[in-house]
Amino acid sequence: MRLLNKPFTYWLRVLHRDIGYFVTGICLIYALSGILLNHMKEKDPAYRTEEQSLQLEKQLSQAELTVYWQSQSNLPVIKKVMTLDENHSRLLLEGGVGVYNHATGWIDYEVYKKRPFIWWINRFHYNKV
């Protein structure tokens, strides 16, 4: 009951303090996301790129490549295989992309993983919340 007997100026100071803490936090998040977005250097800081290589048989057709890829449980889901030229095929993966070299049998692919906190503050910075 003593809290209700406090003067009006006390409650104004408490409210001013708490709103100040909140606004300071928002400013720090906005500043951090601004720094991250300003220094991107051609890549999005909200995503981490994982590069992998895999050795397969040489001269696999697109159908054989798709069947092999789908039979492996530790690989990302394949969406489509496209021809780049006579020696290379492009693999469109869920969350990534890869290239199959028909002459050597090597697949070089990369998968993009979201960094949740950085993704959220960048989204906040762009005002897309």
Side-chain angles (χ1 to χ4, degrees):
M1 229 17 170
R2 286 186 83 200
L3 289 177
L4 295 177
N5 293 335
K6 298 281 185 178
F8 183 67
T9 55
Y10 169 80
W11 291 111
L12 283 179
R13 282 195 307 272
V14 167
L15 188 62
H16 183 265
R17 179 197 64 205
D18 293 344
I19 290 173
Y21 288 151
F22 177 74
V23 171
T24 300
I26 295 293
C27 285
L28 290 175
I29 288 174
Y30 200 74
L32 178 62
S33 66
I35 290 168
L36 289 172
L37 291 172
N38 193 36
H39 300 309
M40 285 197 311
K41 295 189 180 166
E42 298 180 10
K43 71 177 210 173
D44 192 351
Y47 292 91
R48 178 179 71 247
T49 302
E50 295 179 359
E51 296 178 358
Q52 301 285 330
S53 293
L54 181 64
Q55 176 69 45
L56 301 180
E57 296 179 28
K58 298 177 183 179
Q59 302 300 328
L60 290 177
S61 69
Q62 289 182 357
E64 293 170 331
L65 182 59
T66 303
V67 168
Y68 176 80
W69 193 274
Q70 290 173 341
S71 70
Q72 303 299 311
S73 62
N74 60 338
L75 297 175
V77 175
I78 191 167
K79 291 182 176 180
K80 189 175 184 181
V81 178
M82 302 180 322
T83 302
L84 287 176
D85 56 35
E86 65 268 358
N87 285 331
H88 298 92
S89 291
R90 167 86 60 205
L91 284 77
L92 299 179
L93 309 171
E94 191 158 312
V97 66
V99 175
Y100 172 66
N101 187 330
H102 294 279
T104 63
W106 278 100
I107 294 180
D108 296 316
Y109 67 97
E110 51 190 34
V111 179
Y112 311 110
K113 304 281 183 166
K114 187 187 296 185
R115 295 175 175 157
F117 179 71
I118 295 175
W119 180 84
W120 183 82
I121 64 173
N122 285 350
R123 186 174 162 101
F124 176 74
H125 194 100
Y126 285 140
N127 196 20
K128 293 183 180 179
V129 176

